[in-house]
Amino acid sequence: MRLKRFFIVFVTMLPALPSLAQDCNPASLATAGPCTIQEIVTHFHNQVLRDSDVDIAEIEKASDEAVATTIDKAEEEVKDANRATTPPESFAARLHNSYEDFLNPLAFAINKIEESDDGQALTVRFNPWRSPGLEAGLTATIARPTLFSEVQKNIAEEKRAEVTKKVEDALGDFEDITLAFSYSLFETKECTLANLGHCRGRNPKIYRDLLSDVLANGALKDVFLMATETSADFDTENAKLLPFYDTRLSAAGTRQEEVYNLAKNVGTLGGTDSVTSLKVLNDAGIDNLATLIDNQPQLAGTLTYHHREDFTGPPEMSATLEYQRGLHNLNSLKGDQPTFSSLLATDLKKFSMARAGKVVLALSYKRVEPYGLATLGDFATDVPFTAVDIKATNEFKLKAQYGWETAMKLTGERTRLDFSADFARRNEGGKRTLNRFVTTATFTLPYGNNMSVPISLKYANRPEDLQQERKRLSVHFGLSYRLPSEMN
Amino acid sequence: MLPIGGFEAKPGTKIQVQVLDAKGDFITFAGALKSYGPDGNVTTWTSSQLTAGSGGTATLGDAQGYKVIILPILKKKSQGEMRVRLTASGPTSATEDDVVELIASTPFGWQIIIG
C-alpha cells in the first residue's frame, strides 16, 4: 500500500518538475526540433535576403546573430552563475527596473521605453495622439542628475572631484527631467485625387490608399504583378509543405529530416523570389515614394521644458515652429487618374533625391531661468566656493532656406542655387549679448554624376561669424564628391 | 515570397483577405489573388479594401492552385509587422490568422491547392 501511494505521488509530481526548455534554433536540424515549420521557412528566407545585396532592416541582422549564439550564451551564464561578474546596473536600467510596476498600469498610454546607449537616461514615449488636422506626441526623458557645470567650476580645484561626487551621490533620481511635446498642424486627414495639390503632412497613412490604388490598379500594376511573381519550383515545393506549417518539427517524428530539408528548400526558393521582387521595386524607383512623402509640406512644432533642481542647474524652456516643404513632392503630381498614376510611375524612375530642393522656415525661442547658489552647505564645509549668480537668458532665432535647380546645365547636369539666412539674438539679464545675422548664397556646379563644385558667397554682420575671415564678406570654393554607395 | 501557410480547397470556395493591423514604417500595401496552371487570372485589392471589414474577396475557380499575396511597401531599411487573416467559406471552410514580421518590402502570402 505504501509503495503504491508513493508511486502515485511520484507520478503526479512529474508534470510539476521544470521541463528542460530548449530554444528554437532553425539553423540546423540538430537544434530545430522545437521550431515551427514557419520559423524554419522564415529563417532561410531571411538568410537569402541577408546574403544578397538588398537593403534590409538592421535589426534583423542583430536578432539572427542573437539566435545563433543562444546556446553559447546559455553556457556562459551557467559558468558565471557562481561568480560575481555582473557589472553594476546603469542609472537607466535601475530606474526602469525600479519603476516597472508603476509603469505597467500606464501601458495603454506608453508607446515605448528606451534606455540610452550610455545608460545615463531613460526616455518614455507616450502613444501619439491623432485627430483631424493634428498629430501630437509626448516624451519624458529622465537623465542621471549631475552637478551643474557652473557650480563645479566655482569649487576649489583641489576639492572639486570629491565635493562633486558627494553632491551627486545625494541627488535624487528625478532632478533632471525633460518633457518634450511635438505636434504637426493642419495635417490632411486623407489625401485623395480630389484634394491632391493641397495635401499636408508626412504621415504615410495620409497617402496610403491613394498610392495603393496606383499599385493595384494604376500605372504601377505591372510592377506590382512582377514583384509578386514566384517560381514554379517554389509553388511545387511549398504545396508539399502546406500540411506542416503550424506544427513543430519535432512532431514530424521519423520524417523530421525530410520535413526540415523541405522547409529549408522552400525558404530558400522563396527568398530568391523575394530578392528578385526587391530588385523589381528598386528598378521602378519605389523607394522614392518615401522621399515624395517626406517632401510634403508640414508645419511642426516642439515645446520642451527641462526641469532641474537646486544643484543640477536652472530650468529651461524652448519652443520651435518649423515649416518645411520639398520642392518636388506628391502635390506636384496632381491630376486626375490616369494622369496622376502615369506621372507618378514616370517620376519615381527619374526622381533624384539628391537634387530635391527644400524650403525651410524655422522660428525658435529659448529661455533659461536665472540661477543662483550661494553655498554648497554641508557638502563643502571649509571648502572654498565662489557663489554662482547667473542671469536669465532669452534667445530668439530665425532661419530660412531655399534652393532649386536652375535651367542652366553643365556636363549634362543642372546647376543649383541655394540661399540661407540665419538670425540670432540673445539677451542675458536684460542686456543684449548676441545679435548675429549670416546669409549665404551657394552656386553648385555639377561635374558628372558624383562630383560637384560649390561656390559660396557669405555675408555676416559680425566678422567673427565667418570662420576666421576678417572681413564681413567671404567667398569659398569647395569640391564635393559623392561616393558610389551614396548614389544608391 | 515569404510563404505563411495555406490549405486545400474546392472550386467555388469564397475567400476573404483582411489586413487587421499594420505597425511600422509602411508607405502602402496592396494584395493580389493569382492563379497558376492553365488559368492565369489575377484579382487585385487596394489597402482600403484589405482593411475594410469585408476585406478583399474573390471566388476560387478550378485552376491548379492559387496564391493570395500581399505586397507591403516599407521605408528603406525599416521593419514592420502585419496581422492578416485569410478566411475561406463555401465548399471549403478554413481560417488562417498570421502575424508577419517584415524586414523589407517582400511579398508574403498563402498558397491554396485546388483539389
Side-chain angles (χ1 to χ4, degrees), chain B residues 51-111:
Chain B
T51 52
S54 50
T57 56
T59 303
L60 303 179
D62 56 4
Q64 187 183 338
Y66 292 86
K67 284 164 286 188
V68 180
I69 306 174
I70 295 173
L71 176 67
I73 304 294
L74 288 162
K75 281 188 178 177
K76 211 171 180 176
K77 289 193 184 180
S78 65
Q79 52 177 341
E81 183 184 280
M82 266 193 172
R83 197 157 62 87
V84 292
R85 178 178 292 158
L86 173 65
T87 313
S89 59
T92 305
S93 290
T95 303
E96 293 257 344
D97 268 302
D98 291 279
V99 176
V100 186
E101 292 183 8
L102 298 152
I103 58 169
S105 300
T106 51
F108 63 90
W110 304 270
Q111 188 170 357

Short mmCIF file of all heavy atoms in Angstrom, two decimals, chain B residues 51-111:
data_model
loop_
_atom_site.label_atom_id
_atom_site.label_comp_id
_atom_site.label_asym_id
_atom_site.label_seq_id
_atom_site.Cartn_x
_atom_site.Cartn_y
_atom_site.Cartn_z
N THR B 51 -8.32 46.58 -45.64
CA THR B 51 -8.53 46.98 -44.24
C THR B 51 -10.01 47.16 -43.91
O THR B 51 -10.37 47.32 -42.75
CB THR B 51 -7.78 48.29 -43.91
OG1 THR B 51 -8.13 49.28 -44.89
CG2 THR B 51 -6.27 48.09 -43.94
N ALA B 52 -10.86 47.13 -44.93
CA ALA B 52 -12.30 47.26 -44.67
C ALA B 52 -12.80 45.99 -43.96
O ALA B 52 -12.16 44.94 -44.04
CB ALA B 52 -13.04 47.45 -45.99
N GLY B 53 -13.92 46.10 -43.30
CA GLY B 53 -14.47 44.95 -42.57
C GLY B 53 -14.72 43.75 -43.48
O GLY B 53 -14.53 42.62 -43.08
N SER B 54 -15.13 44.04 -44.71
CA SER B 54 -15.42 42.94 -45.64
C SER B 54 -14.16 42.37 -46.27
O SER B 54 -14.18 41.29 -46.85
CB SER B 54 -16.37 43.44 -46.73
OG SER B 54 -15.85 44.64 -47.27
N GLY B 55 -13.05 43.07 -46.19
CA GLY B 55 -11.78 42.56 -46.73
C GLY B 55 -11.79 42.50 -48.24
O GLY B 55 -12.73 42.91 -48.91
N GLY B 56 -10.71 41.98 -48.79
CA GLY B 56 -10.64 41.73 -50.23
C GLY B 56 -11.26 40.36 -50.49
O GLY B 56 -10.92 39.40 -49.82
N THR B 57 -12.16 40.26 -51.45
CA THR B 57 -12.87 38.98 -51.65
C THR B 57 -12.70 38.47 -53.07
O THR B 57 -12.42 39.25 -54.00
CB THR B 57 -14.37 39.14 -51.36
OG1 THR B 57 -14.89 40.18 -52.21
CG2 THR B 57 -14.62 39.52 -49.91
N ALA B 58 -12.87 37.19 -53.22
CA ALA B 58 -12.83 36.56 -54.55
C ALA B 58 -13.39 35.15 -54.42
O ALA B 58 -13.52 34.63 -53.31
CB ALA B 58 -11.40 36.52 -55.08
N THR B 59 -13.71 34.55 -55.55
CA THR B 59 -14.18 33.17 -55.56
C THR B 59 -13.19 32.33 -56.35
O THR B 59 -12.78 32.73 -57.45
CB THR B 59 -15.57 33.07 -56.22
OG1 THR B 59 -16.46 33.93 -55.51
CG2 THR B 59 -16.11 31.65 -56.17
N LEU B 60 -12.79 31.21 -55.81
CA LEU B 60 -11.80 30.37 -56.46
C LEU B 60 -12.44 29.56 -57.58
O LEU B 60 -13.56 29.06 -57.43
CB LEU B 60 -11.17 29.41 -55.44
CG LEU B 60 -10.51 30.07 -54.22
CD1 LEU B 60 -9.95 29.01 -53.28
CD2 LEU B 60 -9.42 31.04 -54.64
N GLY B 61 -11.70 29.49 -58.69
CA GLY B 61 -12.17 28.69 -59.82
C GLY B 61 -11.56 27.30 -59.76
O GLY B 61 -11.30 26.77 -58.68
N ASP B 62 -11.31 26.73 -60.94
CA ASP B 62 -10.78 25.37 -60.95
C ASP B 62 -9.35 25.33 -61.50
O ASP B 62 -8.94 24.38 -62.14
CB ASP B 62 -11.69 24.43 -61.76
CG ASP B 62 -11.87 24.97 -63.18
OD1 ASP B 62 -11.25 26.00 -63.52
OD2 ASP B 62 -12.65 24.37 -63.95
N ALA B 63 -8.60 26.41 -61.22
CA ALA B 63 -7.18 26.41 -61.58
C ALA B 63 -6.46 25.35 -60.75
O ALA B 63 -7.01 24.82 -59.78
CB ALA B 63 -6.57 27.78 -61.33
N GLN B 64 -5.24 25.06 -61.12
CA GLN B 64 -4.45 24.08 -60.36
C GLN B 64 -4.25 24.55 -58.92
O GLN B 64 -4.27 23.76 -57.97
CB GLN B 64 -3.10 23.92 -61.05
CG GLN B 64 -2.24 22.81 -60.48
CD GLN B 64 -0.88 22.76 -61.19
OE1 GLN B 64 -0.73 23.25 -62.32
NE2 GLN B 64 0.09 22.20 -60.52
N GLY B 65 -4.01 25.86 -58.79
CA GLY B 65 -3.84 26.41 -57.44
C GLY B 65 -3.85 27.92 -57.49
O GLY B 65 -3.87 28.53 -58.57
N TYR B 66 -3.85 28.52 -56.33
CA TYR B 66 -3.89 29.97 -56.23
C TYR B 66 -2.89 30.45 -55.18
O TYR B 66 -2.53 29.71 -54.26
CB TYR B 66 -5.28 30.46 -55.81
CG TYR B 66 -6.35 30.25 -56.85
CD1 TYR B 66 -7.04 29.03 -56.93
CD2 TYR B 66 -6.67 31.26 -57.76
CE1 TYR B 66 -8.00 28.84 -57.91
CE2 TYR B 66 -7.65 31.07 -58.73
CZ TYR B 66 -8.31 29.86 -58.79
OH TYR B 66 -9.26 29.67 -59.76
N LYS B 67 -2.47 31.70 -55.34
CA LYS B 67 -1.66 32.33 -54.31
C LYS B 67 -2.33 33.63 -53.90
O LYS B 67 -2.75 34.41 -54.77
CB LYS B 67 -0.24 32.63 -54.82
CG LYS B 67 0.62 31.39 -54.90
CD LYS B 67 1.84 31.63 -55.75
CE LYS B 67 1.47 31.67 -57.22
NZ LYS B 67 2.63 31.72 -58.11
N VAL B 68 -2.48 33.82 -52.60
CA VAL B 68 -3.02 35.07 -52.08
C VAL B 68 -1.82 35.84 -51.53
O VAL B 68 -1.18 35.39 -50.57
CB VAL B 68 -4.03 34.80 -50.93
CG1 VAL B 68 -4.58 36.12 -50.42
CG2 VAL B 68 -5.16 33.90 -51.43
N ILE B 69 -1.49 36.95 -52.16
CA ILE B 69 -0.23 37.63 -51.85
C ILE B 69 -0.50 39.06 -51.42
O ILE B 69 -1.35 39.75 -52.01
CB ILE B 69 0.68 37.66 -53.10
CG1 ILE B 69 0.87 36.24 -53.65
CG2 ILE B 69 2.04 38.29 -52.76
CD1 ILE B 69 1.63 36.19 -54.95
N ILE B 70 0.23 39.49 -50.42
CA ILE B 70 0.20 40.90 -50.01
C ILE B 70 1.60 41.46 -50.20
O ILE B 70 2.59 40.85 -49.79
CB ILE B 70 -0.25 41.04 -48.53
CG1 ILE B 70 -1.68 40.56 -48.40
CG2 ILE B 70 -0.13 42.49 -48.07
CD1 ILE B 70 -2.19 40.49 -46.98
N LEU B 71 1.68 42.59 -50.88
CA LEU B 71 2.97 43.25 -51.09
C LEU B 71 3.00 44.52 -50.23
O LEU B 71 2.25 45.46 -50.49
CB LEU B 71 3.16 43.63 -52.56
CG LEU B 71 4.44 44.41 -52.87
CD1 LEU B 71 5.67 43.54 -52.64
CD2 LEU B 71 4.43 44.93 -54.30
N PRO B 72 3.84 44.53 -49.19
CA PRO B 72 3.96 45.74 -48.37
C PRO B 72 5.08 46.62 -48.93
O PRO B 72 6.10 46.10 -49.39
CB PRO B 72 4.36 45.17 -47.01
CG PRO B 72 5.15 43.93 -47.34
CD PRO B 72 4.68 43.44 -48.68
N ILE B 73 4.88 47.91 -48.90
CA ILE B 73 5.96 48.82 -49.28
C ILE B 73 6.39 49.53 -48.00
O ILE B 73 5.64 50.33 -47.42
CB ILE B 73 5.49 49.87 -50.32
CG1 ILE B 73 4.92 49.17 -51.55
CG2 ILE B 73 6.66 50.78 -50.71
CD1 ILE B 73 5.90 48.37 -52.37
N LEU B 74 7.59 49.20 -47.55
CA LEU B 74 8.15 49.79 -46.33
C LEU B 74 9.16 50.86 -46.70
O LEU B 74 9.70 50.84 -47.80
CB LEU B 74 8.88 48.71 -45.52
CG LEU B 74 8.06 47.65 -44.81
CD1 LEU B 74 8.91 46.46 -44.46
CD2 LEU B 74 7.45 48.23 -43.54
N LYS B 75 9.44 51.73 -45.77
CA LYS B 75 10.55 52.68 -45.98
C LYS B 75 11.82 51.85 -46.02
O LYS B 75 11.93 50.82 -45.37
CB LYS B 75 10.63 53.67 -44.82
CG LYS B 75 9.63 54.78 -44.90
CD LYS B 75 9.92 55.83 -43.81
CE LYS B 75 8.93 56.97 -43.94
NZ LYS B 75 9.11 57.97 -42.89
N LYS B 76 12.81 52.37 -46.75
CA LYS B 76 14.07 51.63 -46.92
C LYS B 76 14.71 51.33 -45.57
O LYS B 76 14.74 52.18 -44.67
CB LYS B 76 15.02 52.50 -47.74
CG LYS B 76 15.98 51.74 -48.61
CD LYS B 76 16.72 52.72 -49.53
CE LYS B 76 17.67 51.95 -50.40
NZ LYS B 76 18.35 52.81 -51.36
N LYS B 77 15.19 50.10 -45.45
CA LYS B 77 15.91 49.65 -44.24
C LYS B 77 15.07 49.76 -42.97
O LYS B 77 15.60 49.96 -41.89
CB LYS B 77 17.20 50.45 -44.05
CG LYS B 77 18.27 50.14 -45.06
CD LYS B 77 19.60 50.73 -44.62
CE LYS B 77 20.64 50.50 -45.67
NZ LYS B 77 21.93 51.04 -45.32
N SER B 78 13.76 49.65 -43.11
CA SER B 78 12.94 49.69 -41.90
C SER B 78 12.18 48.38 -41.78
O SER B 78 12.26 47.51 -42.65
CB SER B 78 11.99 50.87 -41.95
OG SER B 78 11.07 50.70 -43.00
N GLN B 79 11.47 48.21 -40.70
CA GLN B 79 10.75 46.96 -40.46
C GLN B 79 9.29 47.25 -40.16
O GLN B 79 8.92 48.38 -39.89
CB GLN B 79 11.39 46.24 -39.28
CG GLN B 79 11.54 47.11 -38.06
CD GLN B 79 12.11 46.37 -36.89
OE1 GLN B 79 12.08 45.15 -36.85
NE2 GLN B 79 12.62 47.09 -35.92
N GLY B 80 8.52 46.20 -40.21
CA GLY B 80 7.10 46.36 -39.90
C GLY B 80 6.49 45.05 -39.48
O GLY B 80 7.13 43.99 -39.59
N GLU B 81 5.28 45.12 -39.01
CA GLU B 81 4.57 43.90 -38.60
C GLU B 81 3.13 44.02 -39.06
O GLU B 81 2.48 45.05 -38.85
CB GLU B 81 4.63 43.78 -37.07
CG GLU B 81 3.98 42.52 -36.54
CD GLU B 81 4.00 42.50 -35.01
OE1 GLU B 81 5.04 42.14 -34.45
OE2 GLU B 81 2.96 42.83 -34.41
N MET B 82 2.63 42.95 -39.68
CA MET B 82 1.24 42.96 -40.16
C MET B 82 0.49 41.79 -39.56
O MET B 82 1.02 40.67 -39.50
CB MET B 82 1.22 42.80 -41.68
CG MET B 82 1.18 44.09 -42.42
SD MET B 82 0.79 43.76 -44.14
CE MET B 82 0.57 45.42 -44.69
N ARG B 83 -0.73 42.06 -39.14
CA ARG B 83 -1.60 40.97 -38.69
C ARG B 83 -2.62 40.76 -39.79
O ARG B 83 -3.34 41.70 -40.15
CB ARG B 83 -2.26 41.37 -37.37
CG ARG B 83 -2.85 40.21 -36.59
CD ARG B 83 -2.97 40.56 -35.10
NE ARG B 83 -3.84 41.68 -34.87
CZ ARG B 83 -5.17 41.60 -34.71
NH1 ARG B 83 -5.75 40.42 -34.75
NH2 ARG B 83 -5.89 42.67 -34.50
N VAL B 84 -2.67 39.56 -40.34
CA VAL B 84 -3.50 39.30 -41.52
C VAL B 84 -4.36 38.06 -41.29
O VAL B 84 -4.04 37.21 -40.45
CB VAL B 84 -2.63 39.10 -42.79
CG1 VAL B 84 -1.94 40.41 -43.18
CG2 VAL B 84 -1.57 38.03 -42.57
N ARG B 85 -5.45 37.98 -42.04
CA ARG B 85 -6.37 36.84 -41.90
C ARG B 85 -6.87 36.45 -43.27
O ARG B 85 -7.23 37.31 -44.08
CB ARG B 85 -7.53 37.21 -41.00
CG ARG B 85 -8.57 36.10 -40.82
CD ARG B 85 -9.67 36.51 -39.88
NE ARG B 85 -9.19 36.64 -38.53
CZ ARG B 85 -9.78 37.37 -37.59
NH1 ARG B 85 -10.88 38.03 -37.87
NH2 ARG B 85 -9.28 37.44 -36.38
N LEU B 86 -6.90 35.15 -43.51
CA LEU B 86 -7.48 34.59 -44.72
C LEU B 86 -8.61 33.67 -44.30
O LEU B 86 -8.40 32.74 -43.51
CB LEU B 86 -6.43 33.81 -45.53
CG LEU B 86 -6.95 33.03 -46.74
CD1 LEU B 86 -7.48 33.99 -47.80
CD2 LEU B 86 -5.84 32.16 -47.34
N THR B 87 -9.80 33.95 -44.79
CA THR B 87 -10.96 33.13 -44.41
C THR B 87 -11.56 32.50 -45.67
O THR B 87 -11.76 33.18 -46.67
CB THR B 87 -12.04 34.01 -43.74
OG1 THR B 87 -11.43 34.83 -42.77
CG2 THR B 87 -13.11 33.15 -43.10
N ALA B 88 -11.83 31.22 -45.60
CA ALA B 88 -12.45 30.52 -46.72
C ALA B 88 -13.82 30.03 -46.28
O ALA B 88 -13.99 29.55 -45.16
CB ALA B 88 -11.59 29.34 -47.16
N SER B 89 -14.80 30.14 -47.17
CA SER B 89 -16.15 29.66 -46.85
C SER B 89 -16.78 29.06 -48.10
O SER B 89 -16.32 29.30 -49.21
CB SER B 89 -17.02 30.80 -46.30
OG SER B 89 -17.10 31.83 -47.28
N GLY B 90 -17.84 28.31 -47.91
CA GLY B 90 -18.49 27.66 -49.04
C GLY B 90 -18.12 26.19 -49.05
O GLY B 90 -18.17 25.54 -48.01
N PRO B 91 -17.74 25.66 -50.22
CA PRO B 91 -17.38 24.24 -50.27
C PRO B 91 -16.25 23.87 -49.31
O PRO B 91 -16.18 22.75 -48.84
CB PRO B 91 -16.93 24.04 -51.73
CG PRO B 91 -17.62 25.12 -52.48
CD PRO B 91 -17.71 26.28 -51.54
N THR B 92 -15.38 24.82 -49.01
CA THR B 92 -14.29 24.58 -48.06
C THR B 92 -14.30 25.70 -47.02
O THR B 92 -14.44 26.87 -47.37
CB THR B 92 -12.92 24.57 -48.76
OG1 THR B 92 -12.93 23.63 -49.81
CG2 THR B 92 -11.79 24.30 -47.79
N SER B 93 -14.18 25.30 -45.77
CA SER B 93 -14.09 26.32 -44.70
C SER B 93 -12.70 26.25 -44.07
O SER B 93 -12.20 25.17 -43.77
CB SER B 93 -15.11 26.02 -43.60
OG SER B 93 -16.40 26.26 -44.08
N ALA B 94 -12.11 27.40 -43.89
CA ALA B 94 -10.79 27.45 -43.24
C ALA B 94 -10.52 28.87 -42.80
O ALA B 94 -11.08 29.82 -43.36
CB ALA B 94 -9.70 27.00 -44.21
N THR B 95 -9.70 29.02 -41.80
CA THR B 95 -9.27 30.36 -41.37
C THR B 95 -7.78 30.30 -41.06
O THR B 95 -7.32 29.37 -40.38
CB THR B 95 -10.00 30.81 -40.09
OG1 THR B 95 -11.41 30.78 -40.33
CG2 THR B 95 -9.59 32.24 -39.72
N GLU B 96 -7.06 31.26 -41.59
CA GLU B 96 -5.62 31.36 -41.30
C GLU B 96 -5.39 32.75 -40.71
O GLU B 96 -5.69 33.75 -41.36
CB GLU B 96 -4.79 31.21 -42.58
CG GLU B 96 -4.86 29.84 -43.21
CD GLU B 96 -3.62 29.01 -42.93
OE1 GLU B 96 -2.60 29.58 -42.50
OE2 GLU B 96 -3.68 27.79 -43.13
N ASP B 97 -4.89 32.77 -39.46
CA ASP B 97 -4.54 34.03 -38.81
C ASP B 97 -3.04 34.07 -38.65
O ASP B 97 -2.45 33.14 -38.11
CB ASP B 97 -5.17 34.10 -37.40
CG ASP B 97 -6.52 34.76 -37.42
OD1 ASP B 97 -6.58 35.92 -37.87
OD2 ASP B 97 -7.49 34.12 -36.99
N ASP B 98 -2.42 35.14 -39.10
CA ASP B 98 -0.96 35.18 -39.03
C ASP B 98 -0.46 36.57 -38.64
O ASP B 98 -1.08 37.58 -39.01
CB ASP B 98 -0.34 34.81 -40.38
CG ASP B 98 -0.55 33.34 -40.71
OD1 ASP B 98 0.21 32.51 -40.19
OD2 ASP B 98 -1.48 33.03 -41.47
N VAL B 99 0.64 36.60 -37.93
CA VAL B 99 1.35 37.85 -37.66
C VAL B 99 2.68 37.74 -38.40
O VAL B 99 3.45 36.82 -38.15
CB VAL B 99 1.61 38.04 -36.15
CG1 VAL B 99 2.45 39.30 -35.92
CG2 VAL B 99 0.29 38.14 -35.40
N VAL B 100 2.90 38.65 -39.33
CA VAL B 100 4.09 38.56 -40.18
C VAL B 100 5.03 39.69 -39.84
O VAL B 100 4.64 40.86 -39.89
CB VAL B 100 3.68 38.64 -41.67
CG1 VAL B 100 4.89 38.40 -42.56
CG2 VAL B 100 2.59 37.65 -41.98
N GLU B 101 6.25 39.34 -39.51
CA GLU B 101 7.27 40.37 -39.23
C GLU B 101 8.10 40.58 -40.49
O GLU B 101 8.63 39.63 -41.05
CB GLU B 101 8.15 39.92 -38.06
CG GLU B 101 7.37 39.89 -36.76
CD GLU B 101 8.21 39.53 -35.56
OE1 GLU B 101 9.44 39.45 -35.68
OE2 GLU B 101 7.62 39.29 -34.49
N LEU B 102 8.20 41.83 -40.91
CA LEU B 102 8.83 42.14 -42.20
C LEU B 102 10.10 42.93 -42.00
O LEU B 102 10.15 43.85 -41.19
CB LEU B 102 7.85 42.95 -43.04
CG LEU B 102 6.57 42.18 -43.37
CD1 LEU B 102 5.41 43.12 -43.58
CD2 LEU B 102 6.78 41.35 -44.63
N ILE B 103 11.10 42.58 -42.78
CA ILE B 103 12.37 43.31 -42.72
C ILE B 103 12.67 44.03 -44.02
O ILE B 103 13.71 44.66 -44.15
CB ILE B 103 13.52 42.35 -42.37
CG1 ILE B 103 13.61 41.23 -43.41
CG2 ILE B 103 13.34 41.78 -40.98
CD1 ILE B 103 14.86 40.39 -43.30
N ALA B 104 11.77 43.92 -44.98
CA ALA B 104 11.94 44.60 -46.27
C ALA B 104 10.59 44.52 -46.99
O ALA B 104 9.66 43.86 -46.53
CB ALA B 104 13.04 43.92 -47.10
N SER B 105 10.52 45.17 -48.14
CA SER B 105 9.26 45.19 -48.91
C SER B 105 9.09 43.89 -49.69
O SER B 105 8.99 43.90 -50.92
CB SER B 105 9.25 46.40 -49.86
OG SER B 105 9.37 47.60 -49.15
N THR B 106 9.10 42.76 -48.99
CA THR B 106 8.97 41.48 -49.67
C THR B 106 7.54 40.98 -49.58
O THR B 106 6.90 41.09 -48.55
CB THR B 106 9.90 40.43 -49.03
OG1 THR B 106 9.69 40.41 -47.62
CG2 THR B 106 11.35 40.76 -49.30
N PRO B 107 7.04 40.42 -50.67
CA PRO B 107 5.67 39.91 -50.65
C PRO B 107 5.57 38.67 -49.74
O PRO B 107 6.55 37.95 -49.56
CB PRO B 107 5.41 39.55 -52.11
CG PRO B 107 6.75 39.34 -52.71
CD PRO B 107 7.71 40.20 -51.96
N PHE B 108 4.39 38.47 -49.20
CA PHE B 108 4.15 37.27 -48.39
C PHE B 108 2.73 36.81 -48.66
O PHE B 108 1.90 37.59 -49.16
CB PHE B 108 4.36 37.56 -46.90
CG PHE B 108 3.40 38.56 -46.32
CD1 PHE B 108 2.18 38.15 -45.78
CD2 PHE B 108 3.70 39.91 -46.34
CE1 PHE B 108 1.30 39.08 -45.25
CE2 PHE B 108 2.82 40.85 -45.81
CZ PHE B 108 1.61 40.43 -45.27
N GLY B 109 2.45 35.57 -48.33
CA GLY B 109 1.07 35.13 -48.52
C GLY B 109 0.86 33.64 -48.40
O GLY B 109 1.76 32.89 -47.99
N TRP B 110 -0.33 33.22 -48.76
CA TRP B 110 -0.77 31.83 -48.63
C TRP B 110 -0.89 31.17 -50.00
O TRP B 110 -1.11 31.83 -51.01
CB TRP B 110 -2.15 31.78 -47.97
CG TRP B 110 -2.25 32.45 -46.63
CD1 TRP B 110 -2.02 31.88 -45.42
CD2 TRP B 110 -2.66 33.79 -46.35
NE1 TRP B 110 -2.25 32.78 -44.40
CE2 TRP B 110 -2.65 33.96 -44.95
CE3 TRP B 110 -3.04 34.87 -47.15
CZ2 TRP B 110 -3.00 35.16 -44.32
CZ3 TRP B 110 -3.38 36.07 -46.54
CH2 TRP B 110 -3.35 36.21 -45.14
N GLN B 111 -0.79 29.85 -49.97
CA GLN B 111 -0.99 29.07 -51.19
C GLN B 111 -2.21 28.18 -50.99
O GLN B 111 -2.38 27.58 -49.93
CB GLN B 111 0.26 28.22 -51.48
CG GLN B 111 0.24 27.53 -52.81
CD GLN B 111 1.59 26.91 -53.16
OE1 GLN B 111 2.56 27.04 -52.42
NE2 GLN B 111 1.66 26.23 -54.28
#
